[in-house]
Amino acid sequence: MKPNNLLEMLHRTVERFPEKDALLWKESGTYQHITYQKLWNRIYDAASGLNHLGIGENDKVAILSNSNPMWGITDFAAASLRAVSVPVYPTLPSEQVAYILKNADVRTVVVENEEQRDKVLAGDANVENIITMYPGESFSSTESNLSFFKLEKIGEENRIPDWEERWQKINRDQLTTIIHTSGTTGKPNGVMLSHGNFLSNMEAVQFWLIELLPEDLTLSYLPLSHVFERMAGYYMPLSVGTTIAYAESIDTIQENLKEISPTVLTSVPRLFEKVYAKVLDEIDNGTPIKQKVFNWAINIGIERYERYLNAPVNELILGEVMPSDFMRKWKVAERLVYQKVKKELGGRIRGMVSGGGTLNPDVAQFFWAIDLPILEGYGLTETSPVITTNPMVRAKVGTVGKVMPNLDVRIAADGEVLVRGPSVMKGYYNNEEATANAFEGDWLYTGDIGELDEDNYLKIIDRKKRILVLSTGKNVAPQVIENAVNENSFIEQSLVIGDQRKYIICLVNPDFETLLPWAKQNGIRSESLDEICRHKIVKDLIEDKVKEHTKDLAEYEKPKKVVIIGEQWTVETGELTPKLSVRVNVIENKYKNLIEESYAEDSPSNSQMETGATAGYA
């Protein structure tokens, strides 16, 4: 029997695995743990504490923190009171935090530390309570400004006597969260999602994806503020009794992978792209023998993948797909190449899920070739989030998979993907106009251009608003070009510009962790990122890499100029969203003068690129 709400979902796991570790996290260099039963008890205490503060049905409780046990405790505690959690990315500046708090009518905010509390205090949001997870030594507790420990203590002393009876009455239609969109093209909207939205999406995903098991161990490094991580990396593992380990940060992911040795990993494409670029860079700098062995092994892996993709289902079930002589070659390739890459990811991964953006097909094919299945999916915050995903048995590289069995998808006349079903949002909070504009009847406009192939697999081409129409009449999907450019280890992010222009140009943000050591080895001693990016050999390097990675594209899809940006694009400085996507409007506005200057120069020939660099061009 299906659970009626998220609390019931978790409680079933607690009853099955009370003494099993639910969460692992690092404090003072050592991993801590909490069992499912202790996690449940702390949710009870936190819920009772919030209840004592006056939090009740449909009250809004914001969570402004990196992922840690208290994030999830707050989320479930609020949900048990029929209250509504409002996740806020901890990387957002104070003015954006204030906007979200006001937009969602937040009464209480749970913050990670004093830095996050200061953001709340700096804004003009009218909140009643601030609860701090990790208060500093100078922290002074008051009735409306207390520590998370104090909240739980209050709850322990004032436990809700009928708490279980209360949460058991919550049905699937109850609003549980308001998640604000990333705002890549304007002000974020608050997406209203119910218990049923999440539960229906989880039930559909379990039909297609890697089957999570109680003995699995996942590593969570994406913020729980992100709907993809919250559903696939948190709710789903907790629903089956899997143990979740939290990475310390994105910067320590490589170290944490080796420490934890997860069996399943969910990620946005950028992590997979960086691992791929690092491996290729190492091979390019290796001996001819090493390169030959690597290429042979990859070709063996690709052949194995293609055999699986094209094999009849009965052969897959019986395990009769691979001839014995081929398997001998594959085992040699596994020992010489695949195992070395797997070791860098902890050595135990049996499957990975990519979401939150389009994965480059070359990257996906590489991981399948080395026997690390990577299942790409597609979805939106508005759909809780998964719309399509590749099934484990029939994953097709270059697509985002098949439509969830409880959803309907159709392609509009202009190519836009439309979706309807039980995981589609209730609407945008306090914005009836935006909600009305998002739907055609019960069909949700996704804002993405896509197509269904002959096997009904969906391929996403680009965001509808991002399709560039050149003055020559050619339509350009920038995402394909940016994905190709970003494959290189010297390039962190890129942005293609060219709407209503004769040709496209490419703004490139280098991967300074890779570029700076290379520059030093080549005699560039400057400490200024701007000066380094202006140096001729750096400009030549980046230009050559862009040419190399776009050589197979149509002529009108090849950037005719490359502009190197001599400063880092970050979430904190506003160029990136918290899920590391580029904010197109922000970057185009910030570098408006530089873009105009690039186009004002003489038009380059098709065989020549021009490169510029800037450090904070406004």
Side-chain angles (χ1 to χ4, degrees):
M1 192 171 173
K2 295 177 181 179
N4 288 317
N5 57 65
L6 293 167
L7 273 297
E8 184 179 349
M9 173 205 78
L10 178 60
H11 188 252
R12 290 181 182 183
T13 305
V14 174
E15 289 185 314
R16 289 177 63 202
F17 306 108
E19 300 307 315
K20 188 178 185 299
D21 282 340
L23 306 174
L24 302 176
W25 70 100
K26 216 173 188 182
E27 282 186 13
S28 303
T30 305
Y31 278 99
Q32 311 295 315
H33 63 95
I34 185 171
T35 66
Y36 272 96
Q37 185 62 61
K38 289 181 179 177
L39 176 65
W40 184 256
N41 294 343
R42 289 189 64 181
I43 291 169
Y44 187 4
D45 289 342
S48 299
L50 290 173
N51 180 71
H52 189 75
L53 293 177
I55 298 300
E57 184 170 357
N58 292 326
D59 285 332
K60 314 305 186 298
V61 179
I63 310 173
L64 177 55
S65 170
N66 287 295
S67 301
N68 62 53
M70 287 173 277
W71 201 110
I73 289 169
T74 303
D75 179 42
F76 277 107
S80 75
L81 303 174
R82 298 177 187 262
V84 180
S85 65
V86 181
V88 185
Y89 285 103
T91 49
L92 293 181
S94 57
E95 60 270 18
Q96 291 184 37
V97 170
Y99 173 83
I100 291 172
L101 298 183
K102 287 190 294 183
N103 187 64
D105 298 321
V106 169
R107 287 186 57 191
T108 294
V109 186
V110 179
V111 300
E112 181 176 3
N113 49 33
E114 291 192 22
E115 177 189 352
Q116 302 298 345
R117 188 180 63 191
D118 288 345
K119 289 182 186 177
V120 177
L121 295 173
D124 56 354
N126 184 28
V127 298
E128 298 172 14
N129 306 293
I130 302 178
I131 300 160
T132 307
M133 297 175 179
Y134 298 104
E137 293 182 4
S138 60
F139 182 82
S140 179
S141 181
T142 66
E143 192 172 326
S144 61
N145 183 32
L146 62 160
S147 69
F148 200 88
F149 173 80
K150 181 67 174 176
L151 175 76
E152 290 181 299
K153 197 69 179 172
I154 291 171
E156 188 179 359
E157 295 168 354
N158 298 273
R159 280 191 158 179
I160 305 170
D162 60 344
W163 181 62
E164 186 169 332
E165 185 181 341
R166 284 198 199 182
W167 61 253
Q168 284 180 342
K169 292 180 179 178
I170 296 173
N171 61 39
R172 288 193 168 212
D173 196 49
Q174 173 66 43
L175 180 64
T176 190
T177 194
I178 298 173
I179 304 176
H180 286 76
T181 55
S182 58
T184 55
T185 57
K187 287 285 188 183
N189 282 316
V191 177
M192 297 188 291
L193 299 178
S194 67
H195 287 259
N197 287 147
F198 280 117
L199 289 169
S200 65
N201 203 232
M202 291 164 57
E203 289 152 8
V205 166
Q206 287 170 337
F207 184 85
W208 286 123
L209 269 180
I210 303 163
E211 183 185 2
L212 276 175
L213 304 170
E215 53 266 32
D216 274 323
L217 174 60
T218 69
L219 181 65
S220 173
Y221 84 94
L222 297 174
L224 282 168
S225 313
H226 192 306
V227 67
F228 172 58
E229 183 65 18
R230 187 162 166 193
M231 192 285 289
Y234 190 66
Y235 289 154
M236 280 199 64
L238 293 180
S239 73
V240 298
T242 298
T243 299
I244 304 169
Y246 291 122
E248 295 168 88
S249 69
I250 292 178
D251 297 331
T252 63
I253 185 69
Q254 199 72 40
E255 176 188 339
N256 297 150
L257 278 166
K258 293 178 181 178
E259 291 173 337
I260 292 296
S261 295
T263 57
V264 176
L265 179 67
T266 57
S267 176
V268 291
R270 196 67 193 116
L271 174 67
F272 301 126
E273 290 167 355
K274 287 176 77 71
V275 171
Y276 174 69
K278 183 180 178 182
V279 171
L280 290 195
D281 191 53
E282 184 180 331
I283 296 303
D284 287 344
N285 293 318
T287 64
I289 291 293
K290 186 176 183 179
Q291 293 174 1
K292 188 174 181 180
V293 170
F294 176 82
N295 291 330
W296 171 81
I298 294 301
N299 287 332
I300 289 290
I302 291 172
E303 183 179 346
R304 179 175 180 262
Y305 162 72
E306 290 176 345
R307 284 173 181 264
Y308 270 117
L309 185 64
N310 298 315
V313 174
N314 64 314
E315 288 186 10
L316 288 173
I317 294 171
L318 296 173
E320 297 175 350
V321 179
M322 303 298 158
S324 56
D325 60 334
F326 178 82
M327 282 308 296
R328 283 193 291 271
K329 294 178 184 177
W330 184 86
K331 287 178 181 178
V332 173
E334 159 78 8
R335 187 176 68 255
L336 294 179
V337 175
Y338 310 158
Q339 285 183 4
K340 294 178 181 178
V341 181
K342 292 177 181 179
K343 190 175 180 181
E344 292 299 306
L345 296 172
R348 294 202 304 157
I349 289 181
R350 64 183 181 88
M352 305 184 294
V353 181
S354 177
T358 301
L359 182 66
N360 189 312
D362 291 340
V363 178
Q365 185 181 61
F366 166 77
F367 280 104
W368 275 98
I370 64 171
D371 193 34
L372 281 175
I374 184 167
L375 305 177
E376 185 178 5
Y378 160 71
L380 310 171
T381 304
E382 288 88 340
T383 54
S384 313
V386 183
I387 297 172
T388 67
T389 188
N390 271 285
M392 190 72 178
V393 176
R394 279 283 193 271
K396 186 181 285 192
V397 166
T399 76
V400 292
K402 290 195 169 189
V403 179
M404 293 290 95
N406 58 2
L407 295 179
D408 295 317
V409 161
R410 69 179 174 90
I411 308 298
D414 62 358
E416 184 171 0
V417 179
L418 276 66
V419 60
R420 67 180 179 185
S423 61
V424 175
M425 68 171 181
K426 296 169 75 69
Y428 294 118
Y429 185 73
N430 277 347
N431 198 333
E432 292 182 6
E433 181 182 357
T435 300
N437 291 336
F439 287 91
E440 178 188 285
D442 55 356
W443 290 94
L444 174 75
Y445 292 109
T446 65
D448 290 306
I449 299 295
E451 58 187 24
L452 291 164
D453 71 8
E454 66 280 2
D455 298 317
N456 222 30
Y457 283 72
L458 181 66
K459 182 177 182 181
I460 297 298
I461 298 169
D462 213 322
R463 292 294 292 171
K464 184 176 179 179
K465 292 182 179 179
R466 281 215 66 204
I467 297 295
L468 307 178
V469 182
L470 304 186
S471 60
T472 61
K474 295 287 187 181
N475 286 5
V476 177
Q479 193 171 80
V480 175
I481 305 163
E482 291 160 1
N483 284 345
V485 170
N486 292 348
E487 273 187 29
N488 190 263
S489 61
F490 286 96
I491 297 172
E492 180 67 24
Q493 295 279 8
S494 60
L495 180 67
V496 171
I497 305 289
D499 197 45
Q500 301 303 314
R501 312 276 191 171
K502 288 183 180 180
Y503 54 84
I504 62 170
I505 66 174
C506 186
L507 274 60
V508 169
N509 196 218
D511 185 329
F512 290 106
E513 287 185 11
T514 304
L515 180 63
L516 295 183
W518 182 91
K520 190 174 182 180
Q521 290 173 4
N522 285 271
I524 302 176
R525 303 298 176 189
S526 175
E527 296 296 321
S528 165
L529 298 182
D530 177 46
E531 288 184 14
I532 291 170
C533 290
R534 289 182 184 277
H535 201 286
K536 184 179 185 306
I537 65 169
V538 172
K539 292 162 69 174
D540 290 345
L541 169 75
I542 299 297
E543 175 183 331
D544 288 343
K545 296 302 181 185
V546 172
K547 279 184 179 179
E548 177 188 344
H549 286 275
T550 58
K551 67 180 185 297
D552 295 329
L553 300 177
E555 281 302 317
Y556 65 88
E557 294 177 313
K558 296 176 182 178
K560 301 304 184 284
K561 293 184 180 182
V562 175
V563 180
I564 306 174
I565 306 300
E567 61 182 356
Q568 289 184 300
W569 291 346
T570 68
V571 177
E572 290 77 10
T573 52
E575 297 89 0
L576 303 181
T577 70
K579 69 174 186 179
L580 306 183
S581 301
V582 295
R583 292 188 187 274
V584 179
N585 288 1
V586 170
I587 293 173
E588 287 187 345
N589 185 61
K590 184 172 184 178
Y591 303 106
K592 181 179 179 180
N593 292 346
L594 182 63
I595 293 168
E596 292 302 325
E597 287 176 10
S598 297
Y599 277 109
E601 297 168 1
D602 290 338
S603 177
S605 67
N606 287 342
S607 60
Q608 182 181 7
M609 292 186 186
E610 295 184 12
T611 311
T614 183
Y617 213 107

